[in-house]
């Protein structure tokens, strides 16, 4: 398939042919020409739980019946959990012009389309794997075999989308990115802010313990 995901594959069966499913699978690029593939139900659930954990940190902070050290430690623990849950919601695949980017909890890897050799199923685990021309393998186990697939075959959509994107980038001459994988730490305003809050609370706990 040499056309983009938003122009191809619409005749394939990825779930019931309802208007909702057609709209969900009819991906469109954003202003930067990127398409994001994510399990939005999981994203919403995890970020909701993260907000609950962050709000829970406010309860001991206002409870004067608890010691300063305990208050700070409880707040730090709650904010640390909130940060971790928010980071788990960052798991996604982004199809950039000329590249495929897989995001995990802490790091992401950028795969130039020119380096993509094939996408196949791992013989041992059965998960979706992207293999580069240099022989490196990037797994997409987080995107396979979930309850979401019962209604909308996201695993197949993810695989078809990456194949289509790699093919269209090569045909359109947009695969001229620097060769080789790029692994980077994933920065997040939400997760990093919560982590900073947890660090501050932990510091306050240590300070209160020293003074006490």
């Amino acid at each position: 398939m040499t056309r983009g995901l938003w122009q191809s594959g619409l005749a394939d069966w990825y779930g019931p042919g309802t208007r909702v499913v057609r709209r969900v699978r009819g991906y469109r690029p954003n202003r930067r020409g990127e398409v994001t593939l994510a399990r939005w139900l999981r994203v919403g659930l995890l970020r909701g739980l993260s907000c609950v954990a962050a709000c829970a940190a406010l309860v001991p902070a206002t409870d004067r019946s608890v010691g300063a050290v305990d208050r700070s430690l409880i707040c730090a623990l709650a904010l640390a959990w909130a940060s971790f849950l928010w980071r788990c919601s960052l798991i996604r695949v982004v199809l950039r012009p000329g590249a495929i980017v897989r995001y995990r909890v802490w790091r992401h890897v950028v795969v130039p389309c020119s380096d993509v050799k094939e996408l196949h199923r791992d013989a041992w685990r059965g998960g979706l794997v992207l293999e580069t021309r240099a022989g490196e393998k990037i797994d997409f186990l987080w995107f396979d075999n979930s309850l979401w697939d019962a209604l909308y075959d996201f695993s197949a959509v993810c695989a078809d989308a990456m194949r289509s994107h790699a093919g269209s980038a090569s045909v359109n001459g947009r695969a001229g990115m620097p060769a080789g994988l790029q692994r980077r730490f994933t920065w997040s305003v939400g997760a990093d802010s919560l982590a900073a809050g947890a660090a501050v609370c932990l510091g306050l706990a240590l300070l209160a313990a020293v003074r006490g």
Side-chain angles (χ1 to χ4, degrees):
M1 293 187 293
T2 59
R3 294 174 295 174
L5 173 63
W6 47 92
Q7 297 173 337
S8 62
L10 296 181
D12 296 335
W13 193 89
Y14 291 133
T18 62
R19 290 184 179 180
V20 174
V21 173
R22 289 179 182 275
R23 185 178 182 84
V24 168
R25 77 185 189 190
Y27 290 97
R28 297 291 187 276
N30 59 21
R31 294 179 180 178
R32 292 178 293 181
E34 299 178 349
V35 175
T36 300
L37 300 171
R39 298 189 189 279
W40 297 110
L41 184 61
R42 181 173 63 189
V43 170
L45 178 61
L46 288 173
R47 293 194 177 181
L49 291 174
S50 176
C51 292
V52 170
C55 292
L58 300 176
V59 177
T62 58
D63 188 358
R64 298 300 176 182
S65 63
V66 182
V69 176
D70 292 337
R71 284 203 311 269
S72 298
L73 287 177
I74 294 173
C75 289
L77 182 60
L79 290 176
W81 268 108
S83 176
F84 177 72
L85 290 171
W86 192 280
R87 280 206 163 273
C88 289
S89 74
L90 300 177
I91 295 173
R92 65 191 187 277
V93 173
V94 177
L95 307 180
R96 294 180 183 172
I100 296 172
V101 188
R102 186 211 61 186
Y103 284 85
R104 277 195 166 182
V105 177
W106 304 105
R107 303 179 67 187
H108 65 275
V109 56
V110 181
V111 185
C113 289
S114 58
D115 282 8
V116 177
K117 179 181 178 181
E118 63 175 338
L119 283 108
H120 58 87
R121 293 287 171 182
D122 185 86
W124 179 51
R125 293 178 295 181
L128 182 64
V129 174
L130 185 153
E131 185 174 351
T132 67
R133 300 185 188 280
E136 297 181 271
K137 295 182 178 180
I138 297 91
D139 70 83
F140 295 84
L141 293 176
W142 286 83
F143 298 92
D144 274 338
N145 302 324
S146 74
L147 293 177
W148 187 232
D149 282 342
L151 174 65
Y152 169 50
D153 197 356
F154 184 82
S155 301
V157 171
C158 189
D160 290 346
M162 289 189 286
R163 291 191 184 99
S164 175
H165 182 68
S168 63
S170 300
V171 170
N172 296 331
R174 294 186 298 178
M177 293 187 63
L181 303 183
Q182 302 174 28
R183 290 184 171 87
R184 304 171 184 171
F185 179 77
T186 301
W187 297 99
S188 168
V189 175
D192 294 340
S193 299
L194 292 168
V200 170
C201 290
L202 184 59
L204 292 175
L206 292 175
L207 182 61
V210 170
R211 289 182 176 180

